[in-house]
Amino acid sequence: MEITTLFLYVIAVSAVMMTPGPSMLLALNNGACHGLRVTSYGIAGAALSDIVLIGAVGCGLGALLDASEQLFSLVKWVGAAYLLYLAWGLWHAPTRPLAESLVPVTTRGRSAFMRALLVGLSNPKGLLFFSAFLPQFIQPSQPIAQQYVILAVISALIDCVFMSLYAIGGRHAMRRLSARMMQYLNRGCASLLTVLAVGLALYRRSEAR
């Protein structure tokens, strides 16, 4: 791929990924409540979801989702329900210092990994976005599969950078805020996830065209 094409792709993807979507909110909350080690597992899960989604687009699943109303509705409602489930958990999560957590880091890390992975994979907007966005940067005269691999790795790395920034922000917030304010942070993230779930439930395929 040409350097100019890659540069434009990095700018475009960065502009999209820096906005506070579900993955960024999870990174922020994980950084605040569980520390950066646990957050790294969540970041890995979200990055893997990017790679899987772009791989699905390369295999034509994005077009299938766009063409099938039943499949789109199924994925959409599953994604919205899962976001609401996460929001409920954050709203009722107890607030305690990191050192008081009795759950091993590895166990919490695996949970964070699966949450982030499922959030990414259960959002049909991500698949439709990549389906409409990626072909603009694919050059038909060059190996298609290799280009998709390159764009998938770049997307995952950019996502990791911004999620790390959100997580570091959450970590600093944890150090400065009281337990009561941390509860407000949890419930603020829960509220935003609820809004995103409602937005996903109301999303229509025609909006992506």
Side-chain angles (χ1 to χ4, degrees):
M1 299 185 69
E2 296 180 358
I3 298 298
T4 302
T5 301
L6 290 177
F7 180 70
L8 292 175
Y9 182 77
V10 168
I11 293 177
V13 170
S14 298
V16 172
M17 289 188 173
M18 67 187 300
T19 56
S23 296
M24 297 302 169
L25 290 175
L26 287 179
L28 172 67
N29 189 264
N30 285 334
C33 299
H34 303 295
L36 298 182
R37 288 184 62 189
V38 172
T39 305
S40 65
Y41 285 84
I43 291 175
L48 178 59
S49 73
D50 290 335
I51 294 174
V52 172
L53 287 180
I54 293 178
V57 169
C59 293
L61 293 183
L64 176 62
L65 185 68
D66 191 36
S68 174
E69 182 67 33
Q70 292 78 12
L71 180 60
F72 175 82
S73 297
L74 174 63
V75 176
K76 180 182 73 171
W77 287 108
V78 168
Y82 189 63
L83 288 180
L84 289 175
Y85 167 76
L86 292 178
W88 184 88
L90 286 180
W91 185 273
H92 296 281
T95 303
R96 59 171 65 93
L98 298 181
E100 293 182 8
S101 178
L102 301 178
V103 183
V105 170
T106 303
T107 302
R108 287 182 285 133
R110 290 172 181 169
S111 178
F113 177 88
M114 291 306 302
R115 281 199 306 268
L117 178 62
L118 291 175
V119 163
L121 296 181
S122 63
N123 186 352
K125 293 174 65 175
L127 190 56
L128 292 177
F129 167 75
F130 282 127
S131 296
F133 186 68
L134 287 179
Q136 303 177 48
F137 297 90
I138 297 296
Q139 300 172 350
S141 60
Q142 300 183 15
I144 302 299
Q146 181 181 2
Q147 293 181 75
Y148 272 107
V149 170
I150 293 173
L151 295 181
V153 172
I154 290 175
S155 299
L157 291 176
I158 293 174
D159 212 5
C160 287
V161 170
F162 284 109
M163 283 188 291
S164 297
L165 293 176
Y166 273 78
I168 292 172
R171 175 68 172 174
H172 284 294
M174 182 278 300
R175 290 174 175 174
R176 295 174 180 272
L177 299 178
S178 65
R180 187 65 175 174
M181 292 301 295
M182 285 300 300
Q183 185 180 53
Y184 290 150
L185 176 63
N186 276 348
R187 294 188 172 183
C189 289
S191 299
L192 289 175
L193 286 176
T194 301
V195 171
L196 291 172
V198 172
L200 179 57
L202 298 176
Y203 187 75
R204 297 292 183 269
R205 288 187 304 167
S206 59
E207 297 176 7
R209 298 177 180 177

